[in-house]
Amino acid sequence: MTIQVGDHLPDVELQIMGEKGPELVRTADLFGGKKVVLFAVPGAFTPTCSAAHLPGFVVHVDKIRDKGVDSIICTSVNDAFVMDAWGKSQNADEIIMLADGLGDFASALGLTQDRTANKMGIRSQRYAMIINDGTVELLNIDSKGLDTTSAETLLAAL
């Protein structure tokens, strides 16, 4: 079942890149007591994700934070090394690049998609959320394109 507005995020262990390598983090720690914009992409370094989705958040990070957002988090079913390299290549220093290497978070949210026909395996759907103290306040899912999950759309909703 897909997570809904009003639901509390599941507590899942994921990874971010730390100074000494991948570090484990819990979603409860990332989202608890904070207002967070979370967006997910099907894959790091993929065309739409690299050309438009992540760059939009990089460009608008200050405007989003000015709306009272504590953190902006990008997640994908990729490992911490890939997410870190992608973030660096996109100058996403102000965005937490959250690795969901096994797809546990996407699965727990009910937001996976099967890309095995394209040799990509099980991936996250493209979605964006506004989360307040671990509770989903806004959930937008895009099956194609960036109509409802762009930085501009989230900025307007804040």
Side-chain angles (χ1 to χ4, degrees), residues 30-74:
L30 289 171
F31 299 101
K34 300 171 189 150
K35 187 166 191 172
V36 178
V37 166
L38 168 70
F39 67 102
V41 298
F45 291 105
T46 57
T48 301
C49 305
S50 291
H53 207 175
L54 178 56
F57 284 93
V58 171
V59 167
H60 293 295
V61 69
D62 290 331
K63 290 178 185 173
I64 292 170
R65 287 195 182 215
D66 287 347
K67 297 281 189 167
V69 171
D70 298 298
S71 302
I72 301 169
I73 300 174
C74 174

Side-chain angles (χ1 to χ4, degrees), residues 113-123:
Q113 61 177 315
D114 186 346
R115 289 291 198 71
T116 54
N118 296 15
K119 305 297 184 213
M120 292 177 69
I122 302 299
R123 294 293 177 127

